[in-house]
Amino acid sequence: MMQMLLVLLLTGIIHTVDSLSYALRLGGPRSRRITLALSLSGLLVIVSRTSNMAQGPMVGSMVDKALASASFHLESRLHWIIAAATAGTAAAMLLFPSVVRICSRLVVHLEAAGSIPQMVRQLTAGRKWKNGAAYVKLPNLQMLRSLFQGRLPRRLMAINMAVTAIYTVGVLSALYAAYLWPASRLAASTSSGLINGVATILLTLLVDPRIALLSDRTLRGESRLGRMNQVLGLMLVSRCAGTIAAQLLLVPCAFWIGWLISG
């Protein structure tokens, strides 16, 4: 039970941190230091995705337990892990307005410090946090309404939703395939890297350039900052929808992997 709770907690944290990388992207145009913001955003993404790889061995031990005992219901546990991903993304949506404000200040501190380790050392000083409550801002109904006003980037949202669903379910479907085809467990478990690699490539090719272009236009004054707020907010919404869609993809993707490794 403790192992399952740890996996759920780790999954929620991973998806919260990964989703909040959008706040750093928004902090760039707000502080007019977009390159520094992107470097911090990339650091967050690397940390979260590396942690996602560390999740694999922990879930892999569940496969061994499921093969050893028929009473160990692996599929239901995998669905709970995906639900933790949804909860983590939803938490990021609640934290987003506050984190955007904090990230705008972090970018300024990074410029002053000159390096991330030096910035962290300076931020550990108590006086830096005495006004921290001023940056807290909870989302409200007006913010939610503003997200769906005007022209919506429907294609970008659909792509982001699909890529998030694949990324969320990649490791889990591969491990479930290893349970369904125990004779090919090694081939099934290693296929998760390929699935997540494809999702990362799609994200890099189809989503990230659009966000970067919007950031540059906002910095040059060709697009309103409110428009960028809206688009990044909708990216969070579509990301959350992607984790929900991953619930439907878990078993089909596992059978697709099984078909590949057994063919």
Side-chain angles (χ1 to χ4, degrees):
M1 179 60 69
M2 286 301 298
Q3 183 188 33
M4 183 63 185
L5 291 176
L6 183 59
V7 170
L8 294 176
L9 179 62
L10 182 60
T11 301
I13 293 174
I14 288 170
H15 283 266
T16 301
V17 173
D18 203 3
S19 300
L20 287 177
S21 64
Y22 288 126
L24 274 168
R25 295 189 181 203
L26 188 54
R30 280 174 172 262
S31 62
R32 305 193 68 81
R33 294 167 176 84
I34 192 167
T35 306
L36 288 173
L38 287 176
S39 66
L40 283 175
S41 175
L43 178 64
L44 272 184
V45 171
I46 290 172
V47 170
S48 65
R49 291 178 184 175
T50 303
S51 301
N52 191 49
M53 294 173 62
Q55 181 196 54
M58 299 179 67
V59 183
S61 65
M62 295 184 184
V63 176
D64 295 332
K65 293 178 181 178
L67 290 172
S69 173
S71 62
F72 192 93
H73 301 292
L74 179 62
E75 183 180 340
S76 62
R77 290 171 185 259
L78 296 179
H79 281 295
W80 274 108
I81 293 173
I82 297 174
T86 304
T89 308
M93 295 171 68
L94 294 175
L95 294 171
F96 191 72
S98 301
V99 175
V100 166
R101 292 182 167 196
I102 295 172
C103 288
S104 298
R105 295 302 303 162
L106 280 180
V107 173
V108 176
H109 284 304
L110 176 59
E111 183 181 41
S115 68
I116 292 178
Q118 181 68 11
M119 180 189 71
V120 172
R121 189 182 69 82
Q122 292 178 1
L123 289 176
T124 55
R127 66 181 184 275
K128 296 288 187 180
W129 296 97
K130 63 181 181 180
N131 297 322
Y135 296 101
V136 175
K137 183 177 179 61
L138 296 177
N140 52 47
L141 187 59
Q142 180 58 35
M143 290 181 184
L144 182 61
R145 288 174 178 171
S146 65
L147 287 181
F148 298 95
Q149 292 176 353
R151 182 171 54 89
L152 303 182
R154 290 184 175 85
R155 182 179 299 178
L156 186 62
M157 291 174 64
I159 294 172
N160 192 48
M161 176 180 169
V163 170
T164 300
I166 296 171
Y167 174 72
T168 302
V169 85
V171 172
L172 302 179
S173 287
L175 292 174
Y176 191 47
Y179 165 74
L180 295 175
W181 284 269
S184 304
R185 288 168 61 188
L186 180 60
S189 59
T190 55
S191 65
S192 63
L194 176 61
I195 296 172
N196 282 353
V198 170
T200 302
I201 290 172
L202 290 174
L203 187 67
T204 304
L205 290 178
L206 302 177
V207 177
D208 287 348
R210 295 283 299 274
I211 302 299
L213 180 61
L214 181 60
S215 299
D216 285 340
R217 287 178 174 173
T218 303
L219 196 62
R220 293 195 301 265
E222 299 173 6
S223 180
R224 296 179 297 104
L225 183 60
R227 175 60 177 172
M228 189 168 183
N229 288 340
Q230 180 190 28
V231 171
L232 290 181
L234 290 172
M235 289 298 96
L236 275 178
V237 172
S238 61
R239 183 182 178 88
C240 190
T243 62
I244 296 173
Q247 297 279 5
L248 303 176
L249 294 179
L250 174 65
V251 176
C253 285
F255 276 92
W256 176 71
I257 293 170
W259 176 73
L260 288 178
I261 62 178
S262 62

